[in-house]
Amino acid sequence: MMMILAWLPFYPLISFALLIVFQRQLSWQLASVISVTTVFLSAISSGYLMWQLTFNDVSSLSVNLWQWFTLTSFDTGATHPVNIAFYLDRLSAVMVCVVSGVGFLIHCFAAAYMKEDPHFHRFMAYMNLFLVAMLLLVLADNLVLLYLGWEGVGLCSFLLIGFWYEVPENAAAARKAFIMTRIGDTALVIGLLLLFTSLNSLEINTLNTLAQGEWPLTEQRTFWITLLLLGGAVGKSAQLPLQTWLPDAMAGPTPVSALIHAATMVTAGVYLIARMHNVFIQSPEVMTLIAWIGALTLLLAGITALVQSDIKRILAYSTMSQIGYMMLALGAGAWSAGVFHLMTHAFFKALLFLTAGAVIYALHHQQNIFKMGGLLKRLPVESAFFIVGLACLVALPGTSGFFSKEAIIGHLWQSPTAGPIFWWLAIIGALITSIYSCRLFFLAFMGSARENISIVKNDGVLIKGSLSLLVILSLLGGWLNIDLTSVFQPLTTQMMKQEPSWLHSVAVATPFIGIAFSWWFFREYRLGHTTKIAQSYQRIEINRFKRWCYSGLGFDTLYTQLVVVPFTFIAKVNRKDLIDQLVMLCAWYAKLLRDVAASLQNGLLRWYAAAFACGLILWLGAWLV
């Protein structure tokens, strides 16, 4: 088992190296086989290791590959080795299965979807490299190796969002994602430095064990450390206030949206908090802050999704919203429920994104839902897949989304770090989710076609096969709730509140209330009234409130005024760069001295004798004085 664990990230790494070295010398078939097969090996290995952890008496596995470097303590001068070592318990096993399993299906889809792209080999190489970085992040037994994977997924995200960099908007979206996530990454690295200077260790198990015993740090130091770690998680998981990069990241190819910005990378922040849960428990204030961030992001993203016109941007905002649920669960101490929703969300969101990609391809890359319509008749198979994904998203009973979302909402009322107000916010979020999901479905799939576009059929086995497997996982994933009680310790129950009897009924009924409201409110969308739909589309541009919601509640404008405009002003004022001028002044003096010295070396004997005489006179004068 140790060898299997050790090889997990290296299968896709081999594929990356082969694709980058040989590139177009490989045929599409050979490149696809290499890329997909290596991910399949990782997925099979992950499944086997999960089986061993679940059904055999094995609590965890670890393997130490080699020593990377050493860190020296500031206080004692002692050295601490930092190893390339992997650690697998049930938490990391769930993540590894999600990353490699869903990643395998997305790779299958991508092999067919990107077949005609002239840079197919480079695209698949980047996808493989992303999986390597994500697996390193999840399997790391210390925070330094985790940070290496953390930065690796950031780099791959930049490369894949800007894959079609010839379009300026795509390059701008990649740059924006890179800068916004760097803000969070900076907070994370400061938090890691603070952790090491305080505890002389960055091994995850050591830190969690210390937190379970007598936590040696002061309350204030713990608060700042957990707050900085939260900053890293917020940036990577696109939560308030660093959420603005995710909708623009939809500029990348659709498989990228499914893999990086729905199923895996954006959940890295959730994983970080869950992995360091014992440390976060030491700071209840930060736990409550996590719950607030999750709840507010959940509502913000839901409201914004209500007025979007691009099918991928609607799904992007719904991703932010669902990750808000995960953050809400972590803040409430419902660790298992948060990780459970992470897993089910990966299934149905990958299904939604990939089906949306199939629809976009069939409609000649049309992404505006106001220009679609009638897809239920024209693309019945894709429509059925999309309905399954939406049913999971709105948490209809029996679907995977229902089980995981109910598990979260069921913990909120009694949580000592959350409470009734967070329960109500989660219910409102569920109501909004069902409304924007119905709006999307009515506009794109019901009524009649609003543009006379011929359908491009893509019945490839890779596309239909991967979508079919995701449908099965989305429907049955709720029964795969892995027992994580051996990983997580529960929060104290001393502050628990009495739970009303009607809570569960209201939570189950909420999606149906949203569907009933949408059935009545979006009647014109449902019946396909072309004139009314066109007027609604125009109102997004004209109505100020809708325009404000459409722009993500104005966060981009706010950041532009607070950061970009002052920075641009300072850059213009300092156009000649004051620091650069000081450096250039030193260079000018150095050049002047060189010229003077060079002029003295003229080869004239009389000049040298005169200079010698002058020097001797000066020396005698100084000696006599």
Side-chain angles (χ1 to χ4, degrees):
M1 283 193 287
M2 300 304 171
M3 285 299 293
I4 295 174
L5 176 60
W7 270 95
L8 258 179
F10 291 103
Y11 297 123
L13 184 62
I14 293 170
S15 170
F16 165 75
L18 290 173
L19 291 171
I20 285 294
V21 170
F22 294 103
Q23 297 214 9
R24 297 187 184 182
Q25 297 175 37
L26 301 173
S27 64
W28 172 79
Q29 289 88 350
L30 188 54
S32 301
V33 168
I34 292 173
S35 178
V36 173
T37 305
T38 51
V39 180
F40 178 70
L41 288 174
S42 292
I44 288 291
S45 303
S46 305
Y48 174 76
L49 292 172
M50 173 60 91
W51 177 273
Q52 293 296 323
L53 289 176
T54 306
F55 296 103
N56 292 337
D57 191 19
V58 180
S59 60
S60 63
L61 296 169
S62 61
V63 58
N64 189 359
L65 299 184
W66 65 82
Q67 182 176 317
W68 188 4
F69 61 90
T70 58
L71 288 173
T72 304
S73 170
F74 292 112
D75 300 330
T76 63
T79 57
H80 302 273
V82 176
N83 300 321
I84 302 293
F86 300 149
Y87 176 78
L88 188 82
D89 59 1
R90 290 192 175 187
L91 171 60
S92 49
V94 170
M95 282 296 293
V96 166
C97 287
V98 168
V99 170
S100 58
V102 176
F104 165 68
L105 296 176
I106 295 174
H107 269 71
C108 292
F109 183 94
Y113 190 83
M114 298 292 289
K115 181 179 179 181
E116 305 300 329
D117 194 283
H119 304 292
F120 173 78
H121 303 78
R122 181 161 57 88
F123 177 78
M124 297 304 285
Y126 290 165
M127 293 277 279
N128 284 135
L129 184 62
F130 168 78
L131 281 186
V132 175
M134 195 69 200
L135 289 171
L136 280 179
L137 188 157
V138 172
L139 290 172
D141 92 324
N142 60 76
L143 290 171
V144 182
L145 185 58
L146 183 147
Y147 189 73
L148 177 68
W150 188 275
E151 290 298 330
V153 296
L155 171 65
C156 293
S157 172
F158 173 75
L159 294 173
L160 287 166
I161 294 170
F163 183 73
W164 291 323
Y165 59 85
E166 298 86 355
V167 181
E169 290 79 9
N170 296 350
R175 191 167 59 244
K176 182 179 181 182
F178 192 77
I179 293 172
M180 293 298 288
T181 52
R182 290 288 77 69
I183 297 171
D185 294 354
T186 304
L188 176 60
V189 78
I190 295 172
L192 298 188
L193 290 172
L194 206 54
L195 257 179
F196 181 74
T197 55
S198 304
L199 299 171
N200 292 324
S201 177
L202 286 176
E203 290 185 4
I204 294 171
N205 278 338
T206 303
L207 296 172
N208 277 326
T209 305
L210 275 174
Q212 282 180 308
E214 289 190 13
W215 184 242
L217 300 185
T218 62
E219 190 175 319
Q220 188 178 18
R221 177 64 68 96
T222 306
F223 173 82
W224 285 110
I225 288 174
T226 49
L227 189 66
L228 288 165
L229 295 182
L230 174 61
V234 162
K236 198 66 86 183
S237 292
Q239 298 290 286
L240 275 171
L242 300 177
Q243 82 286 4
T244 57
W245 65 270
L246 185 59
D248 292 350
M250 296 302 113
T254 299
V256 175
S257 305
L259 178 65
I260 296 183
H261 306 122
T264 53
M265 187 186 102
V266 288
T267 59
V270 176
Y271 176 75
L272 175 68
I273 296 174
R275 184 81 279 176
M276 302 297 295
H277 64 281
N278 282 329
V279 177
F280 276 93
I281 287 175
Q282 304 304 317
S283 182
E285 298 87 356
V286 174
M287 292 275 290
T288 303
L289 179 62
I290 296 171
W292 273 114
I293 288 173
L296 294 178
T297 308
L298 163 67
L299 297 181
L300 176 148
I303 291 169
T304 309
L306 282 171
V307 293
Q308 296 299 308
S309 57
D310 186 308
I311 187 170
K312 285 179 67 176
R313 288 181 73 90
I314 295 173
L315 296 179
Y317 279 111
S318 87
T319 297
M320 286 168 51
S321 173
Q322 298 305 305
I323 293 174
Y325 268 114
M326 297 173 210
M327 287 288 186
L328 189 50
L330 298 180
W335 313 105
S336 298
V339 175
F340 185 31
H341 195 56
L342 183 156
M343 182 185 73
T344 61
H345 175 259
F347 296 154
F348 67 75
K349 191 50 66 68
L351 172 65
L352 284 170
F353 263 113
L354 293 185
T355 309
V359 168
I360 292 167
Y361 180 85
L363 297 179
H364 303 268
H365 302 285
Q366 177 59 264
Q367 297 186 196
N368 191 332
I369 56 174
F370 284 89
K371 297 180 181 179
M372 296 182 181
L375 294 179
L376 195 59
K377 298 175 182 174
R378 304 176 79 192
L379 293 169
V381 177
E382 286 80 358
S383 301
F385 290 163
F386 209 82
I387 289 171
V388 171
L390 287 180
C392 297
L393 178 63
V394 303
L396 291 185
T399 62
S400 60
F402 170 78
F403 290 108
S404 56
K405 202 176 287 185
E406 283 299 303
I408 292 173
I409 293 175
H411 275 83
L412 295 177
W413 192 281
Q414 292 185 308
S415 168
T417 52
I421 187 170
F422 292 92
W423 186 89
W424 281 110
L425 292 175
I427 290 295
I428 294 170
L431 183 68
I432 295 174
T433 301
S434 60
I435 292 173
Y436 71 67
S437 299
C438 289
R439 173 181 176 271
L440 163 61
F441 182 74
F442 293 161
L443 274 172
F445 291 88
M446 296 189 74
S448 56
R450 286 183 284 280
E451 286 196 349
N452 187 21
I453 302 175
S454 61
I455 295 292
V456 180
K457 288 283 184 181
N458 194 335
D459 296 322
V461 175
L462 287 173
I463 287 183
K464 289 291 168 60
S466 54
L467 290 177
S468 300
L469 287 173
L470 283 171
V471 166
I472 295 170
L473 287 172
S474 300
L475 289 174
L476 305 180
W479 303 99
L480 300 176
N481 191 5
I482 308 297
D483 182 14
L484 298 176
T485 51
S486 61
V487 179
F488 298 122
Q489 61 168 317
L491 280 178
T492 177
T493 57
Q494 60 183 352
M495 296 174 63
M496 278 189 174
K497 306 165 182 66
Q498 188 64 36
E499 183 179 286
S501 58
W502 43 265
L503 285 187
H504 184 66
S505 303
V506 172
V508 173
T510 300
F512 294 101
I513 296 171
I515 293 171
F517 171 79
S518 305
W519 188 267
W520 165 76
F521 190 77
F522 296 126
R523 180 174 175 274
E524 291 155 355
Y525 296 171
R526 179 165 52 82
L527 298 177
H529 289 170
T530 307
T531 307
K532 297 287 185 183
I533 290 173
Q535 290 173 349
S536 296
Y537 184 46
Q538 289 174 352
R539 276 198 292 273
I540 297 175
E541 295 288 337
I542 298 170
N543 188 300
R544 285 189 176 183
F545 179 71
K546 286 190 174 182
R547 191 68 198 161
W548 180 67
C549 293
Y550 183 86
S551 66
L553 306 192
F555 274 89
D556 274 329
T557 306
L558 179 67
Y559 293 158
T560 299
Q561 295 301 320
L562 289 180
V563 180
V564 178
V565 171
F567 183 81
T568 308
F569 173 75
I570 292 171
K572 284 182 179 177
V573 170
N574 192 33
R575 190 180 305 153
K576 294 185 178 179
D577 195 344
L578 180 60
I579 304 299
D580 190 50
Q581 293 301 312
L582 291 174
V583 173
M584 292 305 294
L585 190 63
C586 294
W588 182 81
Y589 274 116
K591 183 175 181 299
L592 181 65
L593 291 174
R594 182 193 67 83
D595 292 342
V596 170
S599 66
L600 295 175
Q601 305 297 317
N602 51 20
L604 298 176
L605 189 58
R606 284 182 295 178
W607 174 263
Y608 291 156
F612 177 77
C614 289
L616 183 62
I617 291 169
L618 287 174
W619 180 78
L620 286 172
W623 181 71
L624 290 173
V625 173

